[in-house]
Structure formats: structure tokens, C-alpha cells
Amino acid sequence: MTEGRPAFPVEPWSLTEIGLDHSSLGVHESLFALANGHIGMRGSFDEGEPVVFPGTYLNGFFEERPLPYAEAGYGYPEQGQTVVNVTDGKLIRLLVNDSPMDLNYGEILSHRRTLDLRAGVLRRVTEWRSPGGRCVRVTSTRLVSLTRRSIAAIEYQVEVIDDEGDLYVALQSDLLANEVNRFDTGDPRAAAALDRPLQAEFSVGRGRHAVLVHHTARSRLRMAAGMDHLVEIPDTSTEDIEANGDLARYTLAARIPPGGSLKLVKFLSYGWSSRRSGAALRDQVDAALATAKLAGFERLMREQRDLLDRHWDDADVEIEGDDQLQQAVRVGMFHVLQAGLRAERQAIGAKGLTGPGYDGHSFWDTETYLLPVLTYTVPRAARDALRWRHSTLELARERARVLGLRGAAFPWRTIRGEETSGYWPAGTAAFHINADIADAVIRYYNATLDEDFDRDIGAELLIETGRLWAALGHFDPEHGFRIDGVTGPDEYTAVVDNNVYTNLMAQRNLREAARAVGRHPDVAARLGVDDDEVEIWLRAAALMAVPYDTQRGVHMQSDGFTHHEEWDFAGTPADHYPLLLHYPYYDIYRKQVVKQADLVLALHLRGDAFTLEEKIANFAYYEARTTRDSSLSASEQGVVAAETGHLDLAYDYWAETALTDLQNLHQNSGHGLHIAALAGSWTVAVAGFGGLRDHDGELMFAPRLPPRIDRLRFRVVYRGRKLVVSVTPSSAIYRLADGEPLEILHHGRRVTVDQTDLELDVPAAPLAKPVRQPSGCEPRRRERI
């Protein structure tokens, strides 16, 4: 299914839909999704129609399905995991006389929907004339609480705006399980279809309150969804409640006089468990509903606003000179917050909780793209995400044992912690996820000095991931320590030897594992680490193979990559991207074509392993061979473009990653948002134009702005302090909002920042030769969109 490219008014703190664009309906359902890391609700209409895919999700709640293989092999995962569209509580159907309100019918007099980034709510106002000629104004405000993990709420008001006399209306407020999935797509990035995954267990309905309890057949998970209501009604009304199987419905019928109105507040609560009984989950939901109803909708709104005020004070990125980019960056940061704030020891999926794409799986995106943002803006959320990884450590150890390795082999894609990728070359072979996890552990510890985390979580993760590299690689007398038969971030070059990104990240992992042993000998003793093992780690790190092509003067992405045949970009039609949908992998794998930043990503995350001259040469070489068929690529290309002096190009990539979903650039935003790409909009701002690096626990900045930006201001939370950085074309100002003075590096110069402004000059960017992209793969510059 191909959906349109949405268009939104440029607003600094909101995203607004004016009128109804059916071609962009699915994309808007993703963009207007509300979530808190535990509950996710797509932005479908309260009335249920029109809709592409309604979607309500609970983080970690999934169903298993067999993974089919034409020819199975040893070590292939046997079970897939797919996120479940759980009981939908968003539904409030409206009947005007006997006509259901459906924006496909009647006449839309006006329509406006707004995602308010400061208030954290979705507001909607629609004026509609029914097929029978009656006119109503429907106003709703939807909230998924960021302070109360299990709570969502909707305030829904109907007003009579004609003078045709009394109007009879009915509201049907539903809990509906096993909604029909009408999302028809042949895109392999979409979710697998599940047929009625929820099995009814029991239901309760009384007064204005109802609860449905369901379970899954294969994953053996149980969930409860509950609703309760407050109403402001005219004198003439009736009420009814029913609950049975997959449907609970509260019905309110009323006669509204001209100029009158009817208001309903719907409180929702969700809970799930793999262990608790249905009765226990019902009680949990009941209690949460009772406290939310007692607090009332206005208090929930105040709590939401207060939390977001504090968050934006710590995390906002301010841009002067590009209002559209300002809006896009804030939309991206809001969705990153929603994806991770209350995940609380559950995975953060590639789509967050905004849609079913990729089956709801978590990948390396979490540690490499999301956690840097959360580490420097909401560190407790980063800590929780890493605690989830640690909770799956025994599954990763078992996976390593199946593969004949020591340590832990974390899954390429998963919901609960098991490997669920049925495609070995781009799944199991992508061992770099272990080093990505270690990198996130190191970054979090250096940014927080959280000793409890380091002792209880971090050290064990570093040691077990370090062990994997020692087991996976081997010492070669000619080439040092080799890691063969792996896939790096670039999924167009699979099962290769000595992928530079993998090897350099593994090198850091091994060194940090040795340091963790030194910090926590008791943890090392418990895990059976001895001096000989640590010596092997350090020797492997010192002798790590890093392939380099002396003839071309660049690093090879992997052994022999620069000797592969070039891809025929000139002969590739524009509509044949992404290549994976149009060409066989056997052809892609043997050519010099790159899906997403791979070695370029190493230039960023392991920038300490390259000289500036090497970065300039490597960036130019791989820029000419990268298609950016992955939404993960533009942000990293933007970061390195900024560092190597290509500031205009970095600016284009910044816009591309920030607008990935707002302009549906990959034609699949209806499946859910690209959370990592949205996180990338922060990364290009802070790590690209702000020059943030954090090698070996030192906080470094090398800010430079592109010509079209007049000023960039951002915040970084670091070791209990908030550092505010303001950059103009000629200078950078550093100031601590609070806390003890902090040492940083500014363009290599060591300085101390305190609570007064420290203004420093910004040197000119390095002079770099022009670079080119493959034909048809130029940045999606906005003037061309």
C-alpha cells in the first residue's frame, strides 16, 4: 500500500492536520500516535472510521508463530514473535439521530487535529453535517499518561450547532478485542498477520465500568483492559452497559437541545502479565481506574504538562533559521520520549508503539540510535532499557551455547529476548549488536557514573559480550585478531570477514570488559573470569584487524570490499529503490553497494580510531556507494558530513532524517514511525553540528553550523548537571544550569564550564573536496520534495 506525503502547517510546538486527506490516513495514524512506553495508541479516530489500522499495543505483549523454512538448518530460530493489536479502548462511536458519524459520509464542515508537544495530548475538533442534515461539533482530547504508566483517557464532547430543534444522539464507548486487520501490504517490513490472537477469558460490566480479560494461545500471556466513565448530560438520557467475550460497551443516549452539549470522559487502564491470573489483572486494572477517575481528567492533563515542561527544559533543541526543521526535530524528540519513558524493563521497538511494522521487534536501533538521546536527556529511561537487555542475558547465553560460543549472543530482532530473525545473513550473523549493547552501557556509565548500575548490570553485560568476541574471533599470525563470517550494519554486504565497524566496536567492548573486571573483581569472580581470560581480551583488542586499502587510501568496509564489482547505479531505475525489493540478495552481496552507513558509522562511534584525513577520504568513498535504503542512514551520514566539512550536505541529511515520517519518505510510515530516524534528528543537531563525542569518558564538542542556520541551542544532562550549549556561526557559549564545574573539550581545547557563560570561537571547517552520491540517491532536499 502506497500512501501520500502529508502536509502540515509549520508550528514550533505542535503538529496539525487541517481537513481530511484520505491518501495520508495511515501515516497520520502513526504520527498522531500517543504512547508512554507501556501503552501505545495509534491516532485513529474516536469513532473508528475512517481507518487504515486502528492499533493499540502493550509493550512486550506478543503472540508466537512458527517460522517457516523451505530448508531448515542447525541453529535456525523456530519461533517468530509478533506484536498483538490488543483490546481497543479508543472507540467512542457517535450516532446522530440514526446516522453513525463517519467522515467518509455526510459533509465535513471543518476538521482540525493537533498533536500538542507541550501538553502531550491529541486534540481534535470536527464540525460535521450528517446525511440527515443535522450539524454537530465534536471535540475530543486524548491522553496516554506519561506519569501513570497504565492509564489513558479521552474527553469527548458533542455540541449541537444547528437550530433544527432537539437532537437525539447516542454514544457507544467500547472495549473491542480482535479487530479486523485491514492493513494489506506486500512489504516485507510490515507485520505478519495474526488471526484473532486474543482468546476471551472473562468479562465484567457494571454501571459505567467494564473490564475484559484475554490471553494468547502460544506465548501464554494474559492481559486486561478496563474502562470507566464520567458524564455531563442533559436531563433526558439513558445508560446501559454490556460486557461479553470480545466486546464491552457503555451506551449513553441523550436528547440535546439546540446550543446544548454532551460530554463524556473515558478512563482506560491496561495491564498484562505472563504469570498473574486473570482475576489479579482485573483487580490491578480496577485499582488504576479508580485512582485515575478520582484524580479526574484535568489533573491528568496537569500532570502531563508538568512532566513535559520539565522534560523540554532538560532536552529541547532550539533552531533559528529553519522553522520547519525546528518543528520536525521536536516531533521526533517527542516520539522518542513516548517510546522509552515508561518502557520500564521492556524493549523499545523500532516502531516504538506507533504501529505493527517489523512485527513490533526491537533491533540494534535501540542501543545505537535511541539510547544516546535518552542517556543525555532522560538517563533513567536509558537505564531501564539496559536493565531490560540484562534481564534477557540468560537467553543470550543460551543462544551463544547453541552457536558453540562463550558469553552472550544477543538477538538481532526480538520482543522478549529470543532470536526471531529467520534470515541468518542479516540476523544471527549481525553479531555487532553485542558491541552496540556494550557501547550503550559504556556511554550510560560515563554520562552518569551510576555505580549501582555498573556493579549490578553494566559489568556483567560488558564481560559476557566481551567473551563472545574472544570466542568468535581468532588470532592469525599475519593479520592479527580476525572476526570472520559476520554481517555489519550494512545489510547489502552480508557474512563477510573483518567488518571494520564490528571489529572496532568489538575492540572497545573487549577493553571495557577488562576495565569492568578491574572495577568489580567480585562480579568477575562470580562469572569465573581469570587473569588469563582478561589477557586474551586485551591482546585481541590490541591486534584487532582493521582492513585498509593502500592503493585507494581508504579503509575497506570488510576484507576485499573495495575490490568488488561496482553497482550499476546509472542503470538502476529510480523506482527500483530500495534495492532489496527489486534485486536478489546474491547480486547485491557481491557488489560495492551499501544500504546504510556502516564504515561511516564507525567514523562516528569509533572516531577515536581514525585521523581527520582518514575520515575525509573514507566519507567521500562510501558516500558514492550508499543508497540510504534504510532510514537509519541519513543521520549518521549527516554527523560525519558535518565533521568532515560538508556542512550543506549535513544540513540536507538532517532534514531528511527529521522529515522521514512527516513526509513519508520511505513510503511505509503507515506501518509505524521510524523511531531511530527520529532520534537521528537529535543526533545530527547535537553530535553533528554540536560535535558531541564521548570517547573514553571525556565530553567533547566541536560545534559548527551550516550556512542556513543562525543559531543552535541544546541541552545535555551529564553527571547530574545540565549543560546548555548555544552555537552561532562564529562562537559557542557553554553554561551549566546547575551543579559543580565541569571539564569539557572544545575543538580539542580543555576548558572548565560553570554557571556563567563561557564563550569560545568556532574555527573554520576543514576544506574538503566535493563528494557525490550514487545516481538517484542524492539527499532528499526539501526543494526537491
Side-chain angles (χ1 to χ4, degrees), residues 571-715:
T572 303
D575 61 358
H576 276 42
Y577 294 97
L579 300 182
L580 65 94
L581 299 183
H582 301 278
Y583 298 93
Y585 273 120
Y586 89 87
D587 196 26
I588 295 173
Y589 286 167
R590 60 194 183 94
K591 303 287 181 61
Q592 286 194 61
V593 58
V594 180
K595 179 182 180 184
Q596 63 202 60
D598 186 307
L599 191 137
V600 169
L601 180 59
L603 301 179
H604 172 200
L605 297 183
R606 282 303 318 271
D608 54 330
F610 302 89
T611 66
L612 178 59
E613 291 73 23
E614 288 173 337
K615 291 176 183 178
I616 291 170
N618 284 329
F619 179 73
Y621 188 86
Y622 288 96
E623 184 73 2
R625 291 158 178 83
T626 301
T627 65
R628 293 192 326 287
D629 282 351
S630 167
S631 64
L632 300 178
S633 198
S635 63
E636 289 303 322
Q637 288 174 264
V639 168
V640 180
E643 183 177 6
T644 55
H646 302 284
L647 295 174
D648 281 324
L649 178 61
Y651 178 75
D652 289 334
Y653 282 140
W654 191 16
E656 182 174 316
T657 195
L659 296 169
T660 292
D661 293 309
L662 287 171
Q663 295 187 344
N664 194 21
L665 297 182
H666 290 262
Q667 293 298 303
N668 66 344
S669 295
H671 303 175
L673 301 179
H674 299 79
I675 300 297
L678 299 181
S681 66
W682 179 94
T683 302
V684 181
V686 176
F689 297 116
L692 169 66
R693 298 293 186 273
D694 48 8
H695 304 309
D696 294 322
E698 284 211 285
L699 192 61
M700 300 173 272
F701 297 90
R704 289 189 184 95
L705 294 186
R708 284 169 280 188
I709 299 299
D710 301 321
R711 181 171 173 267
L712 174 69
R713 187 169 186 254
F714 59 87
R715 293 95 167 140

Side-chain angles (χ1 to χ4, degrees), residues 23-184:
S23 69
S24 298
L25 193 59
V27 178
H28 286 208
E29 289 171 0
S30 299
L31 286 166
F32 290 132
L34 294 178
N36 62 11
H38 173 60
I39 305 169
M41 292 181 168
R42 280 173 63 83
S44 51
F45 289 108
D46 306 286
E47 298 81 20
E49 298 289 346
V51 66
V52 174
F53 191 69
T56 301
Y57 310 102
L58 297 178
N59 195 352
F61 193 86
F62 68 95
E63 180 58 309
E64 292 180 339
R65 54 185 174 81
L67 285 175
Y69 297 101
E71 185 175 342
Y74 176 79
Y76 284 20
E78 297 180 358
Q79 299 293 328
Q81 299 171 354
T82 296
V83 65
V84 173
N85 176 24
V86 300
T87 308
D88 190 353
K90 303 185 300 294
L91 293 168
I92 303 175
R93 303 187 191 278
L94 169 63
L95 281 83
V96 176
N97 286 336
D98 59 353
S99 297
M101 183 175 176
D102 180 341
L103 300 188
N104 285 318
Y105 304 101
E107 181 184 357
I108 301 172
L109 304 176
S110 67
H111 171 73
R112 186 181 187 94
R113 242 186 342 168
T114 299
L115 181 66
D116 187 326
L117 306 177
R118 280 192 174 277
V121 299
L122 179 63
R123 294 190 175 94
R124 170 271 188 103
V125 179
T126 302
E127 294 186 355
W128 181 73
R129 178 180 288 115
S130 75
R134 297 305 305 266
C135 298
V136 294
R137 179 185 299 117
V138 174
T139 305
S140 70
T141 303
R142 184 184 299 173
L143 171 150
V144 173
S145 177
L146 296 170
T147 61
R148 301 173 186 239
R149 185 170 183 257
S150 67
I151 293 298
I154 304 168
E155 183 182 74
Y156 190 94
Q157 183 170 346
V158 183
E159 300 172 81
V160 178
I161 58 173
D162 61 26
D163 56 2
E164 301 297 318
D166 292 347
L167 178 66
Y168 287 84
V169 301
L171 295 181
Q172 295 174 326
S173 177
D174 290 355
L175 294 175
L176 177 63
N178 290 315
E179 288 172 301
V180 176
N181 181 356
R182 288 170 284 182
F183 200 89
D184 183 21

Side-chain angles (χ1 to χ4, degrees), residues 229-472:
H229 303 83
L230 292 172
V231 298
E232 295 179 14
I233 54 178
D235 292 338
T236 305
S237 64
T238 62
E239 300 176 74
D240 188 32
I241 190 82
E242 61 178 304
N244 187 18
D246 288 347
L247 176 67
R249 172 170 290 168
Y250 167 68
T251 301
L252 174 65
R255 185 181 69 200
I256 308 176
S261 66
L262 164 67
K263 181 187 290 186
L264 177 142
V265 177
K266 182 177 188 177
F267 299 95
L268 294 161
S269 180
Y270 288 89
W272 74 266
S273 176
S274 60
R275 298 183 179 90
R276 304 187 72 197
S277 68
L281 283 173
R282 176 203 61 203
D283 294 345
Q284 172 186 327
V285 164
D286 281 345
L289 281 172
T291 57
K293 188 175 179 180
L294 177 64
F297 191 76
E298 292 303 319
R299 183 179 181 87
L300 295 180
M301 291 272 289
R302 288 197 303 273
E303 292 174 353
Q304 194 89 333
R305 178 61 187 252
D306 289 347
L307 182 146
L308 284 167
D309 281 347
R310 294 192 300 272
H311 171 70
W312 290 118
D313 191 51
D314 286 343
D316 190 24
V317 172
E318 299 173 70
I319 302 163
E320 293 182 10
D322 191 327
D323 293 341
Q324 184 188 39
L325 195 54
Q326 174 70 87
Q327 178 189 39
V329 169
R330 283 179 175 149
V331 168
M333 293 180 67
F334 178 76
H335 279 295
V336 169
L337 179 72
Q338 288 198 129
L341 182 63
R342 303 304 303 271
E344 297 180 8
R345 306 190 195 183
Q346 293 295 333
I348 303 175
K351 298 293 186 180
L353 295 170
T354 66
Y358 293 116
D359 287 310
H361 290 167
S362 175
F363 298 77
W364 68 298
D365 308 18
T366 300
E367 282 77 17
T368 301
Y369 289 83
L370 272 70
L371 292 200
V373 182
L374 295 177
T375 294
Y376 294 118
T377 59
V378 196
R380 72 180 187 277
R383 185 179 196 267
D384 279 343
L386 291 169
R387 287 180 69 89
W388 170 75
R389 281 293 188 191
H390 183 264
S391 75
T392 70
L393 186 53
E394 193 51 49
L395 292 172
R397 288 185 177 118
E398 176 58 30
R399 181 65 176 160
R401 286 192 286 269
V402 168
L403 299 175
L405 301 169
R406 292 196 71 202
F410 282 95
W412 176 243
R413 60 187 299 168
T414 191
I415 293 178
R416 185 168 58 190
E418 299 91 343
E419 178 62 79
T420 63
S421 173
Y423 186 61
W424 187 282
T428 295
F431 286 101
H432 69 83
I433 189 170
N434 293 274
D436 301 326
I437 292 167
D439 182 62
V441 168
I442 298 159
R443 179 178 296 105
Y444 172 79
Y445 175 66
N446 286 334
T448 63
L449 299 181
D450 184 340
E451 296 292 344
D452 291 342
F453 169 86
D454 188 44
R455 181 188 63 251
D456 299 337
I457 304 295
E460 192 167 15
L461 285 172
L462 291 172
I463 289 168
E464 294 293 38
T465 50
R467 276 177 161 161
L468 177 97
W469 300 115
L472 188 63

